[in-house]
Amino acid sequence: GYTEAGYRAMGLTGWGAVWPVFLSLFTEALALLTIGLVRPWGTVPPRWVPFFGGRPVRPRAVVLAASLGAVGLALLWTPFVGWWALPGTGMTPLGHTLVGFLYLPTVAWAPLLAAVTVSYHRRHRAPSAATTLPRTA
């Protein structure tokens, strides 16, 4: 949505202009990985996935990665709650308000990822001794 002059004003010229596109694609890919916490391929990835395909994943590693992701997202996006208190960065007041509303849903990403991670952990943890005791007649 920026013009060439807008990219120059931000210091994003040449390959620097590719950075926002890469960042957008990278965050979309990470967001799609969240689906693996609620779908069967979060337990055994499809065979076409390089390095991991067809082999069961270790739930502990998945929970650790997703937990670190939730913490990172919380650190990154929680300050955005106060967007409207920040001074405008060369934007019009309408643009400043619009950006705030467009990015506000990202604040929910961390707690939602944490909730899905807890659910994945509960579904994939080893059964406790209380649930594996044989019944007596």
Side-chain angles (χ1 to χ4, degrees):
Y2 285 104
T3 63
E4 188 64 36
Y7 278 123
R8 275 194 303 275
M10 290 187 298
L12 297 174
T13 58
W15 282 103
V18 176
W19 176 248
V21 175
F22 168 77
L23 195 56
S24 295
L25 293 174
F26 182 67
T27 56
E28 287 298 323
L30 290 177
L32 288 174
L33 281 177
T34 304
I35 297 171
L37 296 171
V38 296
R39 300 294 301 157
W41 56 267
T43 304
V44 179
R47 292 199 179 279
W48 57 265
V49 175
F51 307 112
F52 301 104
R55 298 186 321 202
V57 295
R58 296 190 344 228
R60 212 176 252 181
V62 172
V63 170
L64 176 65
S67 299
L68 291 173
V71 169
L73 288 169
L75 293 172
L76 179 68
W77 291 113
T78 302
F80 209 86
V81 172
W83 172 257
W84 290 278
L86 297 174
T89 56
M91 294 184 208
T92 64
L94 177 61
H96 188 74
T97 301
L98 183 61
V99 167
F101 280 115
L102 290 175
Y103 278 90
L104 192 57
T106 60
V107 175
W109 191 1
L112 291 174
L113 177 58
V116 173
T117 302
V118 168
S119 173
Y120 181 92
H121 172 67
R122 287 181 178 170
R123 286 182 282 120
H124 291 88
R125 68 179 172 206
S128 65
T131 59
T132 59
L133 293 176
R135 292 184 149 191
T136 55

